[in-house]
Amino acid sequence: MNDFLAARSQMAISLGFHIIYSCVGMVMPLFMAVSHYKWIKTGDPVYKNITQAWSKGVAIFFATGAVSGTILSFELGLLWPKFMEHAGPIFGMPFSLEGVAFFIEAIALGFFLYGWNRFNKWFHLFTGLIVGISGIISGILVVSANSWMNNPTGFDFVNGQYLNIDPIKAMFNGSWFTEALHMSLAAFSATGFAVAGIHALMIAMKKNILFHTKAFKIAIIFGAVAAILQPFSGDLSAKNAYKTQPAKLGAMEAYYHTVPYSPLVIGGIPDTAAKKVNYGIEIPGLLSFLVHDNFKEPVNGLDKIPVQNQPPVTITHLAFELMIAIGSAMMLLGLIYFTALWKKRSWLSKKWFLNLFIWATPFGFIAVEAGWTVTEVGRQPWIIQGIMRTSQAVTPMPGIHYSFYLFTAVYFTLSIAVIVLLSRQIKMVPELYDR
Amino acid sequence: MLYVVIAFLFLAIVLYFLLGGADFGAGIIELFTSEKNRQQTRKTMYQAIGPIWEANHMWLIIAVVILFVGFPVIYSQMCTYLHIPLLVMLMEITARGTAFAFRSYDAVKGERTQNLYNHIFVYSSFITPLFLGIIAGSAISRQIDLHPASFVAGYIFSWLNYFSVAVGLFTVALSGYLAAIYLIGEADDDKDAKRFIKKAKYMNIIAVIFGGMVFIAAGFENVRLAHWIFGNSVSLTAVIAATISLILLWVLISRGKKKIIRIFAGFQVTMILLAVGYMHYPYFIMIKGGQNLSLMSLHAPNKTIDDLGWALFIGSFLILPSLFYLYYSFQKKNDVV
Ligand code: HDD
Ligand code: HEM
Ligand code: HEM
């Protein structure tokens, strides 16, 4: 494995690991706040138990998220020093604000986790809310930094020099809103479905039904609302991608040849040599419609992009298809849930109904990983779209593949540990909370 | 604004040394506690650092962010030539943070797993400040070579030299010392407090010895440490202040003043950092052959520095009061319980 490939893979695995913990860290505090609030309002001890049980799981996630985030802030320099040398002053604004948000989050977390029976109930609830709000703000900020890499603004690039730098403009680049919106919804739907799925499994196994039913409901309402909104926000993201990164859109859709009534390909395996897609279903005009809101106007395809500026098509296309498939499935599940809640209450305890949500446990996180693959691989060969190539940014230090193996081993071990700890946590629910 | 940013950078580094250091030190103390007293030490420590460790470590993130936004060239050179010690440090931070969280939140308190977490925790508590010190030492040891002849010359000897390692050991001892001083005020009873006082005294002696070794190693490596420190009045004053506060501290410990000694210990370490920092300022990293990396010339464009300064300024209004309230709420209250 050459050093460049190793550096890219290490970055991908680190971010792919961190994102799971940050999604949970962003969203779970709000779930806990809801259940905490219900406890204060109704006095029902089940809600207190749910809050405490969740907070123990979340503490594990937080610690793992915090250390993997610390790794990332060095990794940007360890792997991409040339990138950071130029990009740091431009896209650093969200990172500095994010530092502040993380700090507040860490402080509030100390109050929340160790503050049981110590503070006024309302103050305790407030600290939990602050954890969630600052988590979401920091997520939005860091995504805004990423969106700058996709849509770099806030400076003039003259003869290889970065002049007239304006960090505020860079932070509010044209892509920050679509990306931040889509990512925040993704965090809610992925975490909501994962948590709901675990509780559904416990209900199906007839364990602590009261506890798990209440927990399921809080999680799935968040998840379902986000999942229903997700495709609309994804549509905005795709339109924006076409405007700012046509090569990425071309690769996402595996759309090689520019034609009017541009077709949308569903499924299929790209044949990069022959520049066509095998086994896919083509719907003429739909891509034109999605991009331009009319069926006729041609969408520019990969043939308009010089070959050396094209991203890998197969990975980008397959990841995109996976995200869409899961997104549609989750939206459907969200609608089913609300139908059950409002019209068909009897479904809620049916075996098939629970099974649907049990199966959907990992869906959201798979979609998150697929979505980031689209965004990041689809930007290649650029690290800063149109400005700097990824290969120009990589560290001169040789032997990066050893560091890649090391990181892979560490993340693998940590993942196993977290899974084991979480399942122990769930198994202990009856003993800890059922007296 | 540049001065504001530099002040925040030093503030973050000093606070990370003090708070993060005390935090690592708690693990070091545990490592050097006899089997018999370990359980009790662990309990005190858990109560003392549980709520605050995550906040303590944020100072590192703040320092890194200031570096890569405000001084990107320095950050990228540091990351390139000190890649390996940074990597080790990150691995140890990961091991330590997760082991600490896992041992408190593992729902099944099995003996074997708890033992494993304890082991990882105490050893990584030792190695992290060691490498932190090595990185700090390497920054001023003039061993970083921007045109290395070989891999070993460029990426290994940049940090593996007597001076850097001595600074690393000195950092470990200081961390243990800070932690022991802090824990005296958190102890459950007098017997416990006495143990921490003893630990504090040992750690102090060890720190003085390692401090001496730093000077000797500096001689080996031609680092002009003595000249830096004794050659200007600010550094000299700082060293004298540190020494006086050391004497006062010993007096206060034996009088049983448990909280006030924290201030003296913090002051001492701050003075040491000031003495070293002042002399090279504005150089942040010293390079072989003299092309030192200066905070005054390698900073980001003014607009970025201005915005960064404002962000830090506004941020500190949000952070500092809540941080104080956190420390205040979780320190041992003798009236409660
Ligand atoms: C639960 C997760 C999830 C689900 C169900 C979806 N997405 Fe997504 N998508 C993400 C999670 C995600 C993500 C991981 O959050 C990404 C990566 C970067 C980003 O901002 O969001 C993303 C990126 C992303 C991009 C690339 C944006 C860019 O790079 O500029 C597009 C075009 C879409 N999505 C479109 C969709 C559509 C049309 C969906 C409809 C079904 C959809 N996504 C469902
Ligand atoms: C947490 C969610 C994220 C995931 C899962 C993710 C995933 C990836 C992947 C798969 C790559 C490798 C692409 C390739 O080389 O083919 C990559 C590269 C990279 N990402 Fe991301 N990314 C995420 C967010 C971010 C954010 C927020 C930033 C920074 C602000 C960022 C910065 C980078 C950089 C610097 C590279 C290396 C250069 C490059 O390949 O373009 N990523 N990421
Ligand atoms: C889309 C990508 C990302 C999102 C949504 C995200 C979000 C978060 C969130 C919510 C946390 C809080 C801790 C937790 O919840 O477990 C966190 C931790 C952290 N993240 Fe990320 N992050 C992303 C990528 C990155 C990148 C690229 C970096 C570094 C450059 C980074 C640096 C950090 C740091 C330093 C922490 C630890 C802060 C603490 O101690 O609380 N993150 N991240």
Side-chain angles (χ1 to χ4, degrees), chain A residues 179 182-183 186 189 230-231 234-235 237-238 241 245 248 252 320 323-324 327-328 364 367-368 371-372 374-375:
Chain A
E179 221 184 299
H182 196 61
M183 180 64 227
S189 59
Q230 191 85 14
D235 178 49
S237 293
Q245 297 173 289
K248 181 188 273 181
M252 271 157 48
F320 186 63
M323 172 166 69
I324 303 292
S328 317
V368 165
W372 278 106
V374 173
T375 301

Side-chain angles (χ1 to χ4, degrees), chain A residues 8 11-12 15 19 80 142 146 372 376 379-380 383 390:
Chain A
R8 289 168 63 188
M11 196 70 203
L15 286 158
I19 190 67
W80 316 103
V142 82
N146 179 267
W372 278 106
E376 304 289 302
R379 186 182 59 241
Q380 303 306 316
I383 191 167
T390 312

Side-chain angles (χ1 to χ4, degrees), chain B residues 42-298:
Chain B
R42 209 169 274 154
K43 196 171 134 254
T44 310
M45 203 195 78
Y46 171 75
Q47 286 167 349
I49 71 173
I52 54 178
W53 76 267
E54 229 169 312
N56 287 345
H57 288 273
M58 287 310 300
W59 293 111
L60 177 65
I61 307 291
I62 300 285
V64 170
V65 169
I66 295 177
L67 265 186
F68 78 57
V69 178
F71 309 95
V73 177
I74 297 182
Y75 170 77
S76 70
Q77 299 286 19
M78 181 178 94
C79 283
T80 307
Y81 294 99
L82 300 177
H83 190 123
I84 295 172
L86 282 168
L87 195 71
V88 177
M89 182 190 82
L90 290 173
M91 288 293 139
E92 297 304 318
I93 287 181
T94 305
R96 187 177 182 276
T98 46
F100 185 78
F102 290 176
R103 86 170 171 186
S104 339
Y105 288 102
D106 192 340
V108 183
K109 298 269 185 288
E111 198 175 325
R112 289 217 348 246
T113 42
Q114 287 292 321
N115 259 337
L116 178 69
Y117 302 141
N118 288 334
H119 262 90
I120 297 177
F121 178 75
V122 294
Y123 284 104
S124 52
S125 294
F126 183 92
I127 301 173
T128 318
L130 176 67
F131 274 81
L132 208 63
I134 288 182
I135 291 162
S138 311
I140 56 168
S141 72
R142 280 188 208 278
Q143 301 294 333
I144 293 177
D145 189 347
L146 296 189
H147 306 285
S150 66
F151 178 82
V152 178
Y155 300 100
I156 306 278
F157 291 153
S158 54
W159 55 276
L160 193 63
N161 54 59
Y162 290 116
F163 179 71
S164 302
V165 175
V167 175
L169 290 170
F170 183 52
T171 311
V172 173
L174 283 183
S175 304
Y177 167 63
L178 286 170
I181 294 282
Y182 182 74
L183 288 173
I184 293 173
E186 300 289 315
D188 282 333
D189 54 38
D190 274 353
K191 196 171 126 262
D192 237 23
K194 284 227 175 64
R195 276 198 302 111
F196 289 126
I197 291 177
K198 221 162 91 194
K199 284 266 151 19
K201 292 185 172 169
Y202 283 147
M203 286 293 174
N204 194 320
I205 294 168
I206 297 173
V208 171
I209 296 173
F210 281 142
M213 277 171 45
V214 171
F215 276 94
I216 299 173
F220 278 146
E221 306 281 1
N222 285 327
V223 179
R224 299 169 66 203
L225 192 65
H227 170 79
W228 286 340
I229 289 182
F230 300 115
N232 77 88
S233 49
V234 174
S235 300
L236 192 61
T237 316
V239 172
I240 293 172
T243 317
I244 295 175
S245 84
L246 179 69
I247 298 166
L248 283 177
L249 189 112
W250 282 72
V251 175
L252 288 170
I253 290 188
S254 37
R255 299 237 174 110
K257 301 267 192 249
K258 293 179 179 167
K259 296 268 156 84
I260 199 90
I261 52 177
R262 290 179 185 173
I263 296 174
F264 280 89
F267 177 74
Q268 238 175 292
V269 176
T270 310
M271 284 302 121
I272 295 173
L273 291 172
L274 178 70
V276 182
Y278 183 80
M279 191 53 221
H280 330 118
Y281 178 82
Y283 298 129
F284 198 78
I285 295 185
M286 321 276 283
I287 304 284
K288 208 172 206 160
Q291 284 273 313
N292 297 337
L293 306 182
S294 156
L295 293 171
M296 296 309 288
S297 59
L298 292 174

Side-chain angles (χ1 to χ4, degrees), chain A residues 30-53:
Chain A
L30 292 179
F31 293 8
M32 289 190 283
V34 169
S35 131
H36 202 164
Y37 177 76
K38 289 200 144 184
W39 171 54
I40 295 178
K41 273 281 151 201
T42 64
D44 182 346
V46 173
Y47 284 115
K48 182 182 184 195
N49 292 344
I50 293 175
T51 316
Q52 289 197 332

